[in-house]
């Protein structure tokens, strides 16, 4: 980056920010600049370049000025003669507490596996206490990834792995699709340079080949929407992230012809009615591929993602994916939880998104550090595995990790249902209790009221920690653990 003028930051801020915002930002800007005076980064640039970049990224997320200010100041206590108390005295308790939290997050003294677990634990705790701190940490780590080339190789690899294993999954869980994609791509580049280069090349070829037909489709769609008097906010193309393509190709044994969404077209409109109107218009001009219409508006993905997807043949016979969404859904899918914090100074917490974080904080508080460490691997598996939605016959939605079985579902609903389940029907047909459920399945659980206890063979195939610990508890007739009872609540 060449310039760190305050005006570069000002220019990123829209009319939602007022004079008070600008004055706190200018003050933080001056303070950080002076505090880091004379320090250099591994890239040879002044240290303040890093602080400023973090501030810009937070401004791009449209976060409140206090968060941007804390971002500008985030390395002051760690790297300068000023302390967190100095920050608090100058900037007040809100900014002070964010800077203190980010400083705490930075101290990790372990190596290897221990380091990894400790890092993860700290991220959970910070996230649960104040999710804004995680946004700052993300912006901080993103700029470090952008400048990772300047570090020695062993450090590059360690940081890249940490980003892939900790930062990207948390970004995903927070619904921050853009951050997740960028984190994964930066990490991929350093961890698997060969595969990265090869995938990137594939992507570039695809974009070159499809560029002209995309431009044509964009004009065509825009004209048709106009003709039907359906207004749109934006139509743009989006290219799949490298790592996400790599994973998908892996799944399809490198058969490119099975991956339809390498380049996709996004239509952003003002409300949900228009989303369906656009879908109808698209299907009027292009032939849709059977089985490729997905209504994530009526049935959102577990991380909250909403859009309509359809894959069509365009006039030239090329396959093209469309994603149709409202502006709010678009922001939600790019920025997730961060979207709820837009412009909100201090703001109230969004219930739906932080419920599971608060549970985590409680679990963390009530367990000693050692217990937490011991349970973490299982917790983490439940947290980060991709989630599926399964329906009960009444239409309730149960959120489960991928590959969960009817037994996992039963325990997610209620321990007594788990202990007494005798049979399962998936989409109306009797299925074995170890069958892996898929998103959208309707699963009916048949209860045997006389059943005394679960079958110990279930332990061989259940996928969730929750079900496993409940089965063990029932078999041992023992008091079930605190952790599992809390974790059960997180799921619903
Ligand atoms: Mn930093």
């Amino acid at each position: 980056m060449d310039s760190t003028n305050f005006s570069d930051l000002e220019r990123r801020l829209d009319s939602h920010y007022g004079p008070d915002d600008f004055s706190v930002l200018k003050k933080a800007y001056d303070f950080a600049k002076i505090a880091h005076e004379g320090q250099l980064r591994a890239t040879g640039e002044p240290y303040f370049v890093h602080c400023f970049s973090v501030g810009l990224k937070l401004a791009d997320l449209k976060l409140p000025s206090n968060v941007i200010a804390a971002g500008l100041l985030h390395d002051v206590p760690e790297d300068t003669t000023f302390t967190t108390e100095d920050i608090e005295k100058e900037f007040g308790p809100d900014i002070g507490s964010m800077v203190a939290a980010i400083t705490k997050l930075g101290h990790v003294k372990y190596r290897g596996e221990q380091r990894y677990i400790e890092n993860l634990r700290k991220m959970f705790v910070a996230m649960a206490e104040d999710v804004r701190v995680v946004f700052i940490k993300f912006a901080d780590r993103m700029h470090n990834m952008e400048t990772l080339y300047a570090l020695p190789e062993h450090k590059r690899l360690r940081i890249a792995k940490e980003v892939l294993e900790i930062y990207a999954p948390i970004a995903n869980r927070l619904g921050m699709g853009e951050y997740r994609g960028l984190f994964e791509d930066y990490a991929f580049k350093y961890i698997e340079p060969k595969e990265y280069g090869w995938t990137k090349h594939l992507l570039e070829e695809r974009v070159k080949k499809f560029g002209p037909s995309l431009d044509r489709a964009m004009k065509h769609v825009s004209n048709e929407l106009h003709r039907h008097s359906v207004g749109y906010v934006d139509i743009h193309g989006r290219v799949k992230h490298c790592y996400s393509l790599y994973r998908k190709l892996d799944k399809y044994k490198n058969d490119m012809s099975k991956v339809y969404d390498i380049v996709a077209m996004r239509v952003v409109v003002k409300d949900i009615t228009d989303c369906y109107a656009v879908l109808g218009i698209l299907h009027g001009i292009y032939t849709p591929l059977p089985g490729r219409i997905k209504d994530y508006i009526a049935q959102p993905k577990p991380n909250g993602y909403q859009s309509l997807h359809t894959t069509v043949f365009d006039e030239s016979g090329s396959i093209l994916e469309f994603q149709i969404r409202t502006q709010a859904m678009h922001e939600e899918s790019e920025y997730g939880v961060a979207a709820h914090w837009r412009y909100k100074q201090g703001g109230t917490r969004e219930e739906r998104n932080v419920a599971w974080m608060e549970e985590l904080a409680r679990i963390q508080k009530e367990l000693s550090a050692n217990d937490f460490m011991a349970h973490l691997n299982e917790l983490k598996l439940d947290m980060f595995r991709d989630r599926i939605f399964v329906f009960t016959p009444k239409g309730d939605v149960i959120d489960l990790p991928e590959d969960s079985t009817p037994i996992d579902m039963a325990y997610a609903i209620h321990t007594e249902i788990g202990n007494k389940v005798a049979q399962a029907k998936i989409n109306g047909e009797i299925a074995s209790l170890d069958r892996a459920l898929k998103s959208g399945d309707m699963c009916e659980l048949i209860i045997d009221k006389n059943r005394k206890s679960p079958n110990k063979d279930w332990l061989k195939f259940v996928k969730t920690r929750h079900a496993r610990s409940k089965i063990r508890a029932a078999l041992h007739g023992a008091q079930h653990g605190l952790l599992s009872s809390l974790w059960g609540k997180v799921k619903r």
Side-chain angles (χ1 to χ4, degrees):
M1 179 184 316
D2 332 283
S3 148
T4 54
N5 292 326
F6 186 68
S7 60
D8 297 329
L9 176 60
E10 257 177 327
R11 228 175 300 126
R12 309 259 183 136
L13 302 172
D14 58 26
S15 59
H16 287 87
Y17 297 86
D20 290 351
D21 295 315
F22 288 102
S23 81
V24 69
L25 286 173
K26 183 68 169 75
K27 190 172 160 192
Y29 171 92
D30 289 335
F31 193 101
K33 196 165 189 174
I34 291 165
H36 290 289
E37 186 76 64
Q39 295 175 346
L40 295 179
R41 297 190 85 224
T43 54
E45 293 167 307
Y47 198 93
F48 183 70
V49 167
H50 169 66
C51 314
F52 192 66
S53 302
V54 170
L56 291 183
K57 290 183 196 306
L58 296 166
D60 287 343
L61 287 172
K62 307 275 183 284
L63 291 169
S65 55
N66 273 4
V67 184
I68 305 173
L72 289 167
L73 296 163
H74 81 276
D75 275 330
V76 165
E78 178 85 42
D79 295 328
T80 77
T81 53
F82 295 97
T83 63
T84 47
E85 289 75 34
D86 295 330
I87 301 279
E88 184 168 343
K89 225 184 283 158
E90 258 335 287
F91 295 93
D94 191 44
I95 292 176
S97 75
M98 281 187 272
V99 174
I102 205 93
T103 307
K104 251 185 12 206
L105 207 51
H107 294 289
V108 178
K109 50 181 185 294
Y110 301 102
R111 293 271 165 258
E113 176 80 352
Q114 278 292 91
R115 180 189 175 92
Y116 167 65
I117 291 175
E118 177 64 7
N119 249 330
L120 194 57
R121 189 177 75 89
K122 286 192 163 183
M123 286 290 274
F124 281 162
V125 177
M127 186 158 68
E129 279 170 2
D130 187 347
V131 72
R132 298 176 304 170
V133 171
V134 176
F135 304 149
I136 300 172
K137 191 66 196 167
F138 276 6
D140 175 40
R141 184 51 67 94
M142 193 62 82
H143 185 250
N144 288 338
M145 292 309 279
E146 286 166 10
T147 52
L148 199 61
Y149 60 85
L151 294 186
E153 197 182 343
H154 69 280
K155 277 196 182 172
R156 283 198 299 239
L157 211 58
R158 177 179 63 68
I159 293 173
K161 279 190 180 148
E162 196 169 274
V163 161
L164 196 62
E165 288 170 5
I166 301 180
Y167 287 74
I170 292 180
N172 182 41
R173 231 14 207 137
L174 292 175
M176 299 173 73
E178 185 59 20
Y179 268 72
R180 175 207 182 167
L182 290 170
F183 275 145
E184 286 179 344
D185 280 7
Y186 276 123
F188 186 32
K189 183 169 153 189
Y190 290 98
I191 296 172
E192 307 265 20
K194 246 211 208 123
E195 282 77 0
Y196 172 81
W198 166 81
T199 316
K200 197 171 161 58
H201 178 74
L202 264 181
L203 272 180
E204 284 162 0
E205 288 292 296
R206 214 13 113 92
V207 171
K208 233 187 278 166
K209 190 170 154 208
F210 279 86
S213 66
L214 275 183
D215 287 343
R216 233 180 311 125
M218 206 169 328
K219 273 198 205 91
H220 190 185
V221 171
S222 156
N223 288 340
E224 286 296 312
L225 293 185
H226 192 74
R227 204 163 66 80
H228 289 87
S229 309
V230 175
Y232 60 84
V233 180
D234 189 25
I235 302 183
H236 63 267
R238 85 98 181 82
V239 180
K240 207 168 177 64
H241 282 287
C242 255
Y243 188 66
S244 138
L245 172 61
Y246 174 73
R247 255 187 332 215
K248 208 158 197 178
L249 281 173
D250 199 48
K251 191 164 128 193
Y252 292 118
K253 306 206 165 35
N254 289 338
D255 183 354
M256 276 286 264
S257 67
K258 293 225 171 73
V259 186
Y260 298 128
D261 64 342
I262 295 178
V263 284
M265 194 77 107
R266 275 195 191 134
V267 185
V268 182
V269 294
K270 79 174 187 310
D271 57 31
I272 290 178
T273 313
D274 283 352
C275 289
Y276 290 101
V278 171
L279 185 72
I281 292 167
L282 287 177
H283 287 172
I285 51 178
Y286 301 126
T287 310
L289 248 75
R292 299 279 313 175
I293 304 161
K294 293 183 193 140
D295 187 346
Y296 295 121
I297 292 180
Q299 289 179 16
K301 287 191 187 180
N303 66 2
Y305 178 83
Q306 287 190 295
S307 278
L308 301 175
H309 288 192
T310 183
T311 309
V312 302
F313 294 104
D314 73 2
E315 324 65 345
S316 66
S318 318
I319 289 173
L320 190 56
E321 179 174 296
F322 280 91
Q323 305 174 346
I324 309 157
R325 47 175 74 161
T326 65
Q327 179 76 22
M329 289 172 194
H330 180 60
E331 285 179 6
E332 173 97 30
S333 86
E334 302 273 296
Y335 310 118
V337 175
H340 298 278
W341 281 90
R342 297 197 141 199
Y343 314 122
K344 268 185 227 150
Q345 201 77 265
T348 55
R349 293 182 175 209
E350 256 291 321
E351 289 267 311
R352 185 169 61 84
N353 284 294
V354 294
W356 57 273
M357 295 183 209
E358 280 168 2
E359 288 292 342
L360 271 174
R362 210 173 316 156
I363 291 169
Q364 143 69 23
K365 267 195 198 118
E366 294 183 21
L367 286 170
S368 72
N370 278 340
D371 286 345
F372 185 81
M373 298 273 203
H375 284 108
L376 200 64
N377 271 337
E378 285 177 322
L379 271 179
K380 201 184 70 200
L381 276 181
D382 279 359
M383 274 276 298
F384 291 160
R385 200 180 289 155
D386 282 337
R387 315 288 295 184
I388 54 168
F389 269 154
V390 180
F391 295 91
T392 69
K394 284 182 187 154
D396 289 335
V397 179
I398 313 294
D399 171 11
L400 294 162
E402 212 172 43
D403 295 328
S404 289
T405 65
I407 299 289
D408 294 292
M409 177 179 176
Y411 280 102
I413 297 170
H414 197 279
T415 305
E416 275 310 292
I417 296 184
N419 288 340
K420 295 195 184 310
V421 63
Q423 243 184 0
K425 277 186 184 170
I426 300 176
N427 305 322
E429 304 206 357
I430 300 270
S432 65
L433 292 171
D434 63 351
R435 166 98 75 88
L437 292 162
K438 291 191 302 295
S439 230
D441 277 348
M442 197 269 274
C443 180
E444 183 183 353
L445 300 163
I446 297 146
I447 303 302
D448 175 1
K449 283 205 176 91
N450 299 319
R451 180 164 201 142
K452 289 277 181 305
S453 70
N455 185 334
K456 77 172 187 323
D457 289 343
W458 293 352
L459 289 169
K460 291 181 190 148
F461 60 74
V462 290
K463 289 294 182 299
T464 52
R465 221 201 72 77
H466 179 68
R468 184 166 299 120
S469 67
K470 291 292 182 185
I471 295 168
R472 281 202 200 111
L475 289 173
H476 298 146
Q479 273 279 69
H480 50 249
L482 163 76
L483 187 72
S484 49
S485 66
L486 283 172
W487 192 243
K489 278 189 247 155
V490 181
K491 296 274 196 48
R492 284 188 288 279

